[in-house]
Amino acid sequence: VPLRRQTILVEKLRFPSGTATAKLIEVLHAGGTNSDVMLRDRWRALLLSFIASFSGALLAFFVPALANIKVFDFVCLPTVSAWHWTIRPALSYVGQGMIMGLRPALSAFLGALTSWALLGPIAIHNSWAGIPPNGASLSPSAAAAPASTSVCDVSSVPQAAINSWEWGAQGWVLWVALALMLAESITSFVIIMLKQLVPLVQQARASRSLQSALAKSADAHEVAPPSQLVTPREWGPGLLVSALLTTVIISPLCDMQWWQTALSVGLSCLISVLAVRALGQTDLNPVSAVGKLSQIIFALVAPGQVAANVVAGAIAEAGAMQVGDLMQDLKTGHLLRASPRVQFYAQLIGSTVSVLVTVGSFQLYSHAYSIPSEQFQAPVAHVWADMALLMERGLGALPATSKIFAAIFGAFGVMLPLIEATCSRVGAFLPSGISFGIGMYVTPDWAIPRLVGAVIEVVWRTRSPKTHERYMLMLASGFVLGEGVMSILGLVIKSLLH
């Protein structure tokens, strides 16, 4: 709830999925203010984009090769494809790019270019990454191809050397991206707080009343009437009670000291700020990355305790995920002028019910399937376990080169918001640090379609502003929703076929 004002009202972050949901609800409940012709045309745009996205996802479901097209394989460059420079024809990603805008999308693409075309290959070439631990050899499927195999068929770099989170290029780059995102987020947060506190103090001195200054500051951005707002007296005790319950339940259950659980809850609140800003700009919540940040901190305060390390990361990731989902809801409510108070209580009800639904769903899956198994490999679980073991051995176990580049990109993350704050004309042409870090963290096939969508949005807005204003968000929302519905249907189909 406190993040609503900062991220939605002050920074005006886009939250693409929340925006798309608001536009859909707006069309479904359009009143008499729009003409029948305009309403029908907007419905048509939404329906056609939904059908196109749904059909594309359905085709990719039954023909997996179309889900991620390795175009460089056609010109005998399989190594480029191995570095995930492929075309993923996902209209939902295109729609997200249309909503998120050119700067975040271009920043994410530049981050992918830096990570997957520069840093990653350099790390592999210099043997900074890509070497299995304890000198173990790669599996036959990941090793180099036999001499009789055409060079057009197999990458010169083993796939495991690129994709391994533990010792591959992806794991090596993760620390660099995380340093950049963390540095940019903390610096931006400090700058924003200073910008808000300075006039607040000035108003307080002038009025001799801090409460009056707070009220004036809130009125400058708040659009909802006071009767619809959630006050600190409402959310504060709830936050305290939930933190106490988490500490009381988790500590004996996971054999942790109470202060360790309390610290992990506190860290989850701070780390959620980083996750929410990334989600608001890119529509991707870096929950895995922020979880690892919590694991790093716990490696310092509780060294050698693997269980505590895993639990601390899990609490941070769960907190970031829940905060992200709730902020998407609040963004939708803000665009529709819904009451934040009503949304708050609706979210409390939904969160309570979700506890039963989530546990019940996992029990159903675990009884029907073996987890982990070939079908449900649970790769993130392996990453968490390996990360905890790495932290048990200490931060010195991290590659020295990774820490060097992390420091360099961390300084870059500090510089970006400082330049933007002191020289806005120059800062407007610099990349967004969070989006850049997200682009480094995920693979290029994620960034490319979003950049395509952002470019389409800019060209459309430039060429035809009227049709852009009328149909763009409808079209983008249909793209996002169509593939989203198909993903649910795909899960049902897989379950029935199994």
Side-chain angles (χ1 to χ4, degrees):
V1 174
L3 289 176
R4 169 185 170 272
R5 183 178 186 277
Q6 180 57 46
T7 59
I8 295 178
L9 302 182
V10 179
E11 297 185 59
K12 293 180 172 58
L13 299 183
R14 290 176 178 256
F15 291 98
S17 292
T19 300
T21 303
K23 292 302 176 182
L24 175 62
I25 296 175
E26 187 180 56
V27 169
L28 294 175
H29 297 274
T33 56
N34 294 328
S35 67
D36 293 339
V37 175
M38 181 183 297
L39 182 60
R40 185 174 65 249
D41 290 344
R42 296 179 77 183
W43 261 105
R44 183 183 294 113
L46 178 67
L47 181 62
L48 291 177
S49 60
F50 179 91
I51 293 174
S53 179
F54 183 90
S55 302
L58 181 65
L59 181 62
F61 179 82
F62 288 104
V63 187
L66 297 179
N68 197 9
I69 303 173
K70 300 180 178 181
V71 292
F72 285 100
D73 284 4
F74 303 145
V75 291
C76 199
L77 293 173
T79 302
V80 179
S81 298
W83 284 100
H84 300 284
W85 289 102
T86 57
I87 300 298
R88 188 178 293 275
L91 289 179
S92 64
Y93 292 175
V94 175
Q96 290 172 7
M98 295 171 68
I99 297 173
M100 66 194 289
L102 183 60
R103 188 191 179 198
L106 182 58
S107 299
F109 178 78
L110 293 175
L113 199 66
T114 301
S115 181
W116 298 92
L118 182 63
L119 293 183
I122 289 176
I124 293 293
H125 178 74
N126 291 282
S127 300
W128 298 340
I131 301 177
N134 302 323
S137 59
L138 294 174
S139 62
S141 60
S148 60
T149 303
S150 170
V151 294
C152 291
D153 298 331
V154 178
S155 167
S156 61
V157 180
Q159 198 72 50
I162 297 174
N163 296 334
S164 174
W165 290 99
E166 295 81 32
W167 48 269
Q170 190 162 23
W172 187 90
V173 167
L174 171 64
W175 304 110
V176 182
L178 186 59
L180 170 62
M181 290 190 293
L182 181 62
E184 195 274 349
S185 182
I186 293 176
T187 306
S188 297
F189 182 75
V190 171
I191 292 174
I192 291 171
M193 290 301 297
L194 289 176
K195 286 183 177 180
Q196 293 185 22
L197 287 176
V198 170
L200 188 65
V201 173
Q202 293 175 347
Q203 293 176 20
R205 289 178 177 176
S207 62
R208 302 295 182 181
S209 172
L210 182 59
Q211 184 175 1
S212 174
L214 284 169
K216 292 179 181 179
S217 177
D219 292 340
H221 297 283
E222 188 57 69
V223 294
S227 61
Q228 295 183 0
L229 299 179
V230 182
T231 65
R233 292 181 179 181
E234 293 175 281
W235 62 261
L239 178 62
L240 180 61
V241 170
S242 62
L244 290 175
L245 285 175
T246 302
T247 303
V248 171
I249 295 173
I250 294 295
S251 297
L253 185 64
C254 300
D255 194 23
M256 295 175 58
Q257 298 184 37
W258 69 268
W259 65 267
Q260 294 177 341
T261 308
L263 177 61
S264 64
V265 173
L267 288 175
S268 71
C269 296
L270 297 176
I271 291 174
S272 293
V273 176
L274 166 65
V276 164
R277 295 192 69 248
L279 179 67
Q281 293 184 32
T282 67
D283 210 36
L284 181 70
N285 197 339
V287 291
S288 182
V290 298
K292 288 174 176 56
L293 176 61
S294 181
Q295 286 186 284
I296 293 175
I297 296 175
F298 250 75
L300 300 175
V301 300
Q305 299 187 30
V306 178
N309 192 282
V310 172
V311 172
I315 292 177
E317 180 169 350
M321 188 176 298
Q322 293 298 321
V323 170
D325 291 341
L326 297 182
M327 292 306 300
Q328 294 277 24
D329 296 340
L330 290 173
K331 177 66 174 183
T332 301
H334 170 71
L335 294 175
L336 297 174
R337 296 294 190 267
S339 168
R341 178 189 293 272
V342 173
Q343 283 192 284
F344 174 69
Y345 287 109
Q347 289 170 341
L348 285 179
I349 296 172
S351 299
T352 303
V353 175
S354 69
V355 173
L356 303 176
V357 174
T358 302
V359 174
S361 299
F362 180 78
Q363 290 296 325
L364 289 174
Y365 267 94
S366 60
H367 281 83
Y369 309 103
S370 297
I371 302 177
S373 62
E374 183 177 354
Q375 183 177 8
F376 297 97
Q377 299 179 11
V380 177
H382 295 288
V383 173
W384 280 99
D386 292 335
M387 177 70 183
L389 293 175
L390 175 63
M391 292 297 97
E392 181 187 18
R393 297 193 295 268
L395 296 178
L398 289 175
T401 52
S402 181
K403 288 187 287 187
I404 293 174
F405 279 91
I408 295 173
F409 277 80
F412 179 60
V414 172
M415 179 189 68
L416 287 176
L418 288 177
I419 294 177
E420 189 171 358
T422 55
C423 186
S424 58
R425 291 184 178 180
V426 177
F429 295 97
L430 294 177
S432 164
I434 287 290
S435 301
F436 193 97
I438 289 290
M440 295 178 66
Y441 170 65
V442 299
T443 52
D445 56 323
W446 175 91
I448 292 173
R450 284 171 170 82
L451 178 61
V452 171
V455 171
I456 291 174
E457 187 273 332
V458 171
V459 173
W460 188 359
R461 174 162 39 89
T462 304
R463 297 288 183 108
S464 181
K466 290 185 178 180
T467 58
H468 173 275
E469 182 181 1
R470 185 177 300 176
Y471 301 119
M472 192 282 292
L473 280 175
M474 295 298 102
L475 199 71
S477 300
F479 286 157
V480 174
L481 295 170
E483 191 161 341
V485 172
M486 178 54 214
S487 65
I488 298 174
L489 180 61
L491 177 61
V492 174
I493 293 175
K494 284 186 177 182
S495 300
L496 292 176
L497 292 177
H498 178 78

